[in-house]
Amino acid sequence: MSEDMMRTFCGNLGLDASVIKDGLNLYREMKASHSQQDLSSSMEYVICLHLAAQKNGHNLDLTKAMKVSGSKSKPKYQNAYRNAQKLLKIKSTLNLKEICLKVGMNDPGIIEETRQAFNLYKNSISKKYGQDKINELDFTKPVYLCAAVHAIGKFRKLKIDADILSSLAMEAKKDIFKYRDEMFALLTEASKAKKNGGREALKSLQEEDVPSMENEDDNRKRKCEEENDLDEAESYKIWKNGILNRAVAAGFSQYKKFIV
């Protein structure tokens, strides 16, 4: 009877029949646990098939899953799904690259940026609250990966479908947005720091309290003007190149392109 019902729900969900066996095993395990989740039988069948589909790399539209299961709201279905995951001790198999591809972020460079945003957030939490907080939050949850994807999308002005991320994370969009905003703030701060770091480094080279270096530049400028009868623009170029050459020698290679 259970197998027939599982097969019927599998067809209603439009899933491949290959997930029926795993779905049935999960359903039997759920029933054997005598969990008091107060779910309808249709909700149990659909959630077990949903978990089996995720395990086997198949996508299931959240709206369709809700409709077939008879759930009255998306949060209620998502909560039941997460509870079933805990009960059956199932860890999400979603990885960052897979999530990126599902929302159309195919560029390897963007995927790597997303990974860096995720790690930046983890490191900030670790520095602020310690390793215990990292363990408590459980960063293996897809919600954090999905938030990182959305944060990079916002940072790079890419259009990302939040509904897809909500379906993948099995979390409400507002929860994804909460972590996205925290990650976006870190990305913005890091970007500003990087830009200002470069400018401040060049400024510090110009303002080093080693007057002999400044005098040397001025002397070189005057000497070039006197010996070669250079105009003001040309002498300024020589002076500027002197500063830029020192910057490059100090390790700021990004200024090399400005040397003429």
Side-chain angles (χ1 to χ4, degrees), residues 121-232:
Y121 183 69
K122 276 183 67 177
N123 291 338
S124 74
I125 295 296
S126 179
K127 287 178 182 177
K128 194 171 182 179
Y129 301 107
Q131 187 60 38
D132 288 343
K133 187 67 174 178
I134 294 287
N135 298 334
E136 177 191 328
L137 290 174
D138 186 7
F139 278 98
T140 62
K141 291 179 179 177
V143 64
Y144 296 107
L145 295 176
C146 288
V149 170
H150 211 255
I152 284 294
K154 184 178 180 181
F155 188 71
R156 291 296 178 194
K157 295 180 170 57
L158 304 173
K159 190 173 181 180
I160 305 296
D161 193 331
D163 288 324
I164 293 177
L165 293 176
S166 178
S167 297
L168 292 171
M170 294 306 296
E171 297 278 357
K173 284 190 285 187
K174 66 179 180 64
D175 294 321
I176 294 175
F177 293 165
K178 174 192 171 187
Y179 299 121
R180 175 207 65 187
D181 291 343
E182 292 175 0
M183 293 181 191
F184 180 78
L186 288 171
L187 287 169
T188 303
E189 184 181 333
S191 178
K192 286 180 181 176
K194 186 176 181 182
K195 289 177 184 176
N196 291 336
R199 285 197 292 267
E200 290 302 318
L202 183 58
K203 185 179 177 183
S204 67
L205 281 168
Q206 293 177 349
E207 297 177 350
E208 283 175 326
D209 56 351
V210 278
S212 60
M213 293 291 285
E214 291 182 359
N215 292 337
E216 185 182 330
D217 282 333
D218 290 336
N219 291 337
R220 188 185 297 113
K221 180 182 174 185
R222 282 195 295 271
K223 186 177 180 182
C224 287
E225 288 173 336
E226 292 169 359
E227 291 182 357
N228 300 297
D229 194 24
L230 297 177
D231 61 20
E232 187 176 347

